[in-house]
Amino acid sequence: MNVALILPNEFQGSLTGKRAAQYVRMSTDLQQYSIQNQADAIATYAERRGIAIVRSYADEGRSGLNIEGRDALRRLIGDVQNGNADFDCILVYDVSRWGRFQDSDESAYYEYVCKEGGIQVLYCAEQFENDGSLTSNILKSIKRAMAAEYSRELSTKVFIGQCRITKLGFWRGGPASYGLRRVLLDETGERRMQLEYGQRKSLQTDRVMLKRGPVAERQIVKSIFDSFVKHKKTVTEIANELNSRGMASPRGGRWWSRTVDTMLANEIYIGNIVINRASFKLQHRRVENPPEMWIRHDGAVAAVIDRKIFDKAQELRKRRQMPLTDQEALDRLASLFRRKGMLSEAMLRASNGVPFGSVFIRRFGSVNAAFKLVGYEQAPRYRYSEHKAKRKAVVRAAAAEIIERVEQAGGRAVFDDKAHLLTINERFTVAIGTGWAHAEGNDKQKRWYVRADKHSVAGIGLILKMDRSNSYVETYLIVSGFELARVNYGELRTSNPVFAKAEKHRDLDAFHRICAKMIGGR
């Protein structure tokens, strides 16, 4: 093991009696960078200098290209900035473990933040002491540039290898698509075994090919394409139907609309392996590549879906992203209104040449807003997309208020807008939902139905119950996440016993007090 030189200088002596935190990170690099090897080298370094390691921060299986996803490093930097560090220095195996940041200034910045907080970063396996001297600064700069270049070179080599594998008709890696299975071949092309989910090839000379999977799964794939193409159902409707039938998704959980849409676009179901449709190299911004840059091998596996059905599915998918101006989209909508005398989202899905409802929502805020522009107004009970947009706005406003109060109390809160899940101090989670009023017969028979993601792993459910006209939040209901998860989808109404026994408040003050206790107990 390559350990730093032990030099009896003033710098080394000044470390005696210091308290340290160690930071270790491993992605998929060589065994020399295992967490245990790093810890052993750091322990040796600390023992020889009389340093006591009092805290450990570990990012396992995390890339060093940026700080996103590296919770331990973020927590370490946060502790230093917030004055919560009970140590004098940070011990890191080497410069690359601190990070292979593509911008070396970013790596230097995080070290500078620690230095500003009175905390020194020490690299235990480098051949220099990080003592602020000219020599150490030059060597650090070189090492940071080398760490970044290593990632760039590795990315290029991996991509070239994946292209070659794909052109030969082999599977480049990762799980097989739903309805397919991976078969492991030796270097002569002889079959070794079928790889199950989570299993990987162990020999570099082995290759993986795809084959058609169980009949039951292939039937589900066919039913998805038929529902989309022949019955004009949306991806959301298809996902809900599969969930109601108790069908497990490709990963064994619930089906989501994004999962269905990804399957509908996947050429593997007509036998083709295609890669490089999008680039996300070195975790930079995702870039959609033109077809001429795609790497493909047609006929790599027996088709599951007929080519005509697949092509029709692509036509329907493109309609949701039709390259029309706003006026052209409205003109087509107006033409449909003149022919039918009314409008609905179901009619949009069934009519060729008219964009899907999602296009109008994205451009005009709601489907009903687009309907109004062509002279048609839906009855209030049918304005689903408009109500959905209002519910989202209510949830976002509540989340923004909570985040502001949490930050004022010295905590940290992050809101997942898609899941409506609020995470406080990286460990306390809140599922936020709405109680929306619905008319049944007349205004006296109003019912409130709760819209919340009961599948979120949340400690608390916060339900924003609206007034009778859905104009403002009338009551804030606080329920346990466990109780919320027990509620069946069809029973998400405020008359349910789970919500009947919930804490009810006129404002968010009670919830803020709960958050303050959690922040204080961190």
Side-chain angles (χ1 to χ4, degrees):
M1 185 180 299
N2 183 25
V3 180
L5 294 175
I6 309 301
L7 302 176
N9 53 26
E10 293 182 4
F11 173 73
Q12 178 179 321
S14 66
L15 297 175
T16 303
K18 296 285 188 180
R19 293 164 57 86
Q22 66 172 350
Y23 174 73
V24 292
R25 178 185 67 83
M26 183 180 72
S27 54
T28 54
D29 291 322
L30 300 176
Q31 183 62 28
Q32 75 182 83
Y33 285 133
S34 73
I35 294 294
Q36 189 57 54
N37 280 352
Q38 293 175 60
D40 289 345
I42 291 172
T44 300
Y45 181 98
E47 181 180 359
R48 291 179 176 175
R49 287 160 173 76
I51 302 173
I53 299 175
V54 298
R55 190 176 296 191
S56 180
Y57 297 82
D59 278 320
E60 298 188 43
R62 297 298 180 183
S63 168
L65 295 176
N66 55 49
I67 201 168
E68 296 301 323
R70 294 170 66 183
D71 294 338
L73 181 58
R74 293 165 68 98
R75 191 166 60 252
L76 170 60
I77 299 297
D79 286 345
V80 172
Q81 290 179 313
N82 297 330
N84 296 327
D86 57 352
F87 44 85
D88 309 298
C89 56
I90 300 168
L91 304 182
V92 188
Y93 180 78
D94 64 11
V95 171
S96 72
R97 295 306 89 195
W98 188 247
R100 297 187 186 278
F101 297 97
Q102 294 305 287
D103 185 345
S104 59
D105 289 341
E106 183 176 0
S107 178
Y109 168 74
Y110 295 125
E111 184 178 326
Y112 177 75
V113 167
C114 295
K115 183 179 178 180
E116 282 290 284
I119 309 296
Q120 189 172 17
V121 178
L122 302 174
Y123 301 108
C124 304
E126 298 290 4
Q127 298 299 313
F128 62 87
E129 295 285 5
N130 193 16
D131 55 4
S133 65
L134 177 62
T135 301
S136 70
N137 288 336
I138 292 175
L139 290 174
K140 272 194 303 183
S141 297
I142 294 173
K143 288 278 188 175
R144 287 167 181 157
M146 290 172 59
E149 185 60 26
Y150 171 84
S151 295
R152 287 191 285 269
E153 291 180 355
L154 182 61
S155 175
T156 300
K157 291 177 181 177
V158 169
F159 178 69
I160 292 173
Q162 288 184 339
C163 292
R164 177 176 174 276
I165 290 296
T166 299
K167 289 179 179 179
L168 293 174
F170 296 117
W171 186 239
R172 71 190 185 283
S177 301
Y178 187 80
L180 301 172
R181 292 294 185 270
R182 297 172 300 154
V183 177
L184 185 65
L185 309 177
D186 65 19
E187 58 185 349
T188 66
E190 292 294 321
R191 176 187 171 118
R192 285 188 185 275
M193 59 181 291
Q194 177 175 301
L195 293 174
E196 301 302 332
Y197 181 71
Q199 291 183 327
R200 302 179 182 181
K201 72 184 186 77
S202 56
L203 298 178
Q204 191 173 12
T205 54
D206 285 350
R207 291 290 178 260
V208 177
M209 295 194 72
L210 294 181
K211 70 166 188 174
R212 295 202 296 183
V215 174
E217 289 190 11
R218 284 185 276 139
Q219 289 298 328
I220 291 176
V221 174
K222 291 179 180 179
S223 72
I224 289 173
F225 276 86
D226 286 344
S227 296
F228 186 73
V229 173
K230 297 180 181 179
H231 304 294
K232 301 296 189 295
K233 294 182 179 179
T234 67
V235 290
T236 301
E237 289 173 334
I238 295 171
N240 290 339
E241 286 184 2
L242 291 169
N243 289 327
S244 66
R245 290 162 55 190
M247 300 294 183
S249 73
R251 297 294 173 263
R254 287 177 57 81
W255 287 85
W256 302 99
S257 56
R258 180 63 181 270
T259 307
V260 174
D261 189 62
T262 300
M263 290 178 63
L264 290 169
N266 196 344
E267 284 193 39
I268 197 64
Y269 293 116
I270 54 174
N272 303 337
I273 296 178
V274 183
I275 68 169
N276 203 42
R277 297 183 63 162
S279 298
F280 192 56
K281 294 179 180 178
L282 298 174
Q283 300 186 6
H284 286 181
R285 183 173 59 87
R286 177 184 172 92
V287 177
E288 299 292 334
N289 295 324
E292 57 267 23
M293 291 181 62
W294 300 356
I295 307 299
R296 63 189 307 128
H297 183 104
D298 295 345
V301 61
V304 175
I305 298 298
D306 181 78
R307 181 62 189 249
K308 292 181 179 179
I309 295 292
F310 183 85
D311 289 344
K312 183 62 176 177
Q314 306 321 302
E315 293 176 11
L316 293 175
R317 290 181 67 253
K318 287 180 181 178
R319 283 178 50 201
R320 284 184 265 171
Q321 305 291 335
M322 295 183 76
L324 302 174
T325 65
D326 289 354
Q327 189 57 52
E328 288 172 336
L330 290 174
D331 288 344
R332 297 195 182 195
L333 184 63
S335 176
L336 178 64
F337 178 34
R338 288 193 295 269
R339 294 197 311 269
K340 301 294 184 178
M342 63 172 295
L343 292 171
S344 69
E345 291 193 55
M347 292 172 61
L348 300 184
R349 294 193 296 269
S351 303
N352 292 327
V354 181
F356 275 30
S358 58
V359 174
F360 292 108
I361 293 172
R362 187 170 61 253
R363 297 188 181 192
F364 303 103
S366 70
V367 172
N368 192 58
F371 288 175
K372 286 182 179 180
L373 291 174
V374 298
Y376 178 74
E377 187 167 352
Q378 284 183 308
R381 65 183 301 178
Y382 295 117
R383 298 175 188 172
Y384 305 117
S385 58
E386 184 178 345
H387 292 164
K388 183 178 180 180
K390 286 184 178 179
R391 290 195 300 270
K392 279 183 172 290
V394 169
V395 170
R396 287 168 179 165
E401 178 182 340
I402 295 169
I403 290 173
E404 182 178 4
R405 292 286 290 270
V406 167
E407 291 178 347
Q408 289 175 355
R412 181 175 180 273
V414 178
F415 182 60
D416 183 338
D417 188 59
K418 183 176 181 180
H420 286 183
L421 190 68
L422 186 70
T423 303
I424 300 174
N425 278 10
E426 300 181 351
R427 61 187 182 89
F428 176 48
T429 53
V430 183
I432 305 179
T434 56
W436 209 254
H438 288 256
E440 296 188 4
N442 56 61
D443 195 58
K444 294 182 180 180
Q445 296 177 336
K446 283 278 188 181
R447 291 178 181 268
W448 280 260
Y449 290 87
V450 174
R451 300 297 182 94
D453 186 359
K454 74 186 189 70
H455 300 284
S456 297
V457 182
I460 285 182
L462 175 64
I463 308 302
L464 315 173
K465 184 183 177 185
M466 308 299 291
D467 72 311
R468 301 178 70 85
S469 62
N470 292 319
S471 300
Y472 62 91
V473 180
E474 184 179 63
T475 309
Y476 296 85
L477 288 75
I478 301 176
V479 301
S480 74
F482 174 75
E483 291 290 341
L484 181 64
R486 292 175 55 196
V487 181
N488 293 326
Y489 183 79
E491 298 175 341
L492 283 176
R493 59 178 66 182
T494 53
S495 59
N496 184 280
V498 171
F499 301 110
K501 64 183 180 182
E503 291 185 28
K504 300 176 179 64
H505 304 277
R506 290 296 181 184
D507 51 41
L508 278 172
D509 287 349
F511 183 79
H512 291 320
R513 287 193 291 271
I514 294 174
C515 293
K517 289 181 181 179
M518 295 301 299
I519 295 170
R522 63 183 173 175

